Amino acid sequence: MTGPRAARALPPPSVLDAFAVGGTVVPLPGGRGLSVRVGNVVLKPVDGTEEEAEWAASVYERLLAGAGGFRVPRPLRAADGRSVVDGWTGCELLSGRPGPAGHWHEVLAAGRAFHAALSDVPCPAFLSRRTHPWAVADRVAWGEEETDVPAQLADPYAALLALRRPVRLPVQLVHGDLTGNVLLAAGEPPGVIDFSPYWRPPVYAEAVVVADGLLWFDAPRTLLARPGECPDWTQLLVRALLFRLVAAGRLAGPTARVTEEEAARYTRTIETVRRGPSAGRR
């Protein structure tokens, strides 16, 4: 999920000129509160490195050529070919409203189609160099790094580590934050936006959506019953919860307190995952 909202910046005239857009700048809701709309395009400051932003634009351009079962926004490029100008990037505005409440299966289906289209994209080198809270949390979730968490999260963190077991699944490029980044519009395939790349099993990306649903959206317990065979499904849910918990702790900072409700939210969800989809109704 999203982190703390940063103070919203507005694109300077040099960015509007480079991308050949004009009109009223309108702040957009959702995400980290960074994006703005100008006419029929979306602009946002690069949230990471320019290398990653340029790479993501190239991947989306590739998907535009043969996407099936989903839509992606067309990236903007300046006259000289850059997709990043003065720290800003842009894309066309896709129609639709974000899920996921009430549309869990549509979000998951969009993710499967998106990941099928990404199956032969190589792992970008920058993934291993990222140090933002979500990148660290991803590595911790998969046992590639260790970290401390705020005291209020120590018990659910320990419970998840005790539940974690090895898994062996094929890995590829995945979108690790689909939950609020699938746009649904009548008569249109779902739109996938704000690519958050990770190198993990595709079904793990689905587990993150399910974990988000249980944590924050009061999703039905039946969402735990994934169609098809996946003997490691519970282990992927454990990693998804670790991912969200560690990111929440790092976003809070070393001296900040996590609320009791936040800690209790993880404890309840861990118990839900332990019990599985058939243990009563939510």
Side-chain angles (χ1 to χ4, degrees):
M1 299 300 287
T2 58
R5 289 181 178 272
R8 191 187 296 272
L10 298 180
S14 60
V15 171
L16 302 180
D17 291 343
F19 288 131
V21 297
T24 303
V25 177
V26 179
L28 288 174
R32 296 183 61 202
L34 300 173
S35 299
V36 299
R37 177 173 65 82
V38 184
N40 63 349
V41 305
V42 175
L43 299 172
K44 65 182 293 186
V46 172
D47 191 16
T49 66
E50 292 195 5
E51 176 189 12
E52 181 172 347
E54 291 281 3
W55 170 88
S58 297
V59 171
Y60 265 34
E61 287 168 339
R62 170 179 173 170
L63 294 176
L64 284 166
F70 63 95
R71 295 172 292 145
V72 294
R74 184 178 301 277
L76 298 184
R77 289 198 179 271
D80 60 5
R82 289 176 297 162
S83 67
V84 179
V85 176
D86 293 343
W88 285 78
T89 188
C91 64
E92 69 173 322
L93 178 68
L94 283 190
S95 61
R97 294 185 176 183
H103 299 280
W104 296 105
H105 295 294
E106 293 97 318
V107 171
L108 291 170
R112 289 173 196 146
F114 186 77
H115 293 139
L118 291 176
S119 62
D120 61 347
V121 178
C123 182
F126 63 77
L127 286 186
S128 63
R129 300 194 297 266
R130 298 188 303 182
T131 59
H132 59 64
W134 297 276
V136 173
D138 171 71
R139 293 193 291 268
V140 171
W142 285 86
E144 297 166 359
E145 190 170 322
E146 296 181 355
T147 192
D148 295 322
V149 298
Q152 297 83 2
L153 294 175
D155 286 346
Y157 180 53
L160 287 167
L161 290 179
L163 288 170
R164 188 177 62 189
R165 300 288 184 273
V167 300
R168 290 185 177 87
L169 291 169
V171 295
Q172 65 160 78
L173 193 65
V174 302
H175 191 321
D177 193 22
L178 284 165
T179 306
N181 290 314
V182 174
L183 302 180
L184 304 169
E188 296 276 3
V192 180
I193 61 172
D194 287 348
F195 190 17
S196 296
Y198 296 89
W199 192 252
R200 298 299 177 198
V203 70
Y204 169 68
E206 297 182 34
V208 173
V209 173
V210 173
D212 289 348
L214 297 173
L215 283 168
W216 293 297
F217 294 93
D218 197 28
R221 189 190 297 273
T222 53
L223 198 61
L224 287 166
R226 183 183 185 275
E229 289 296 322
C230 185
D232 292 315
W233 177 239
T234 298
Q235 283 299 313
L236 296 174
L237 289 169
V238 167
R239 284 162 172 75
L241 290 171
L242 276 167
F243 171 57
R244 290 307 194 196
L245 183 149
V246 173
R250 296 188 74 84
L251 289 166
T255 60
R257 288 182 58 82
V258 175
T259 67
E260 291 183 5
E261 170 55 27
E262 183 77 356
R265 190 188 308 275
Y266 283 97
T267 299
R268 290 193 302 269
T269 306
I270 292 167
E271 183 57 27
T272 298
V273 169
R274 276 178 171 153
R275 295 172 66 191
S278 60
R281 298 172 64 98
R282 283 176 64 92

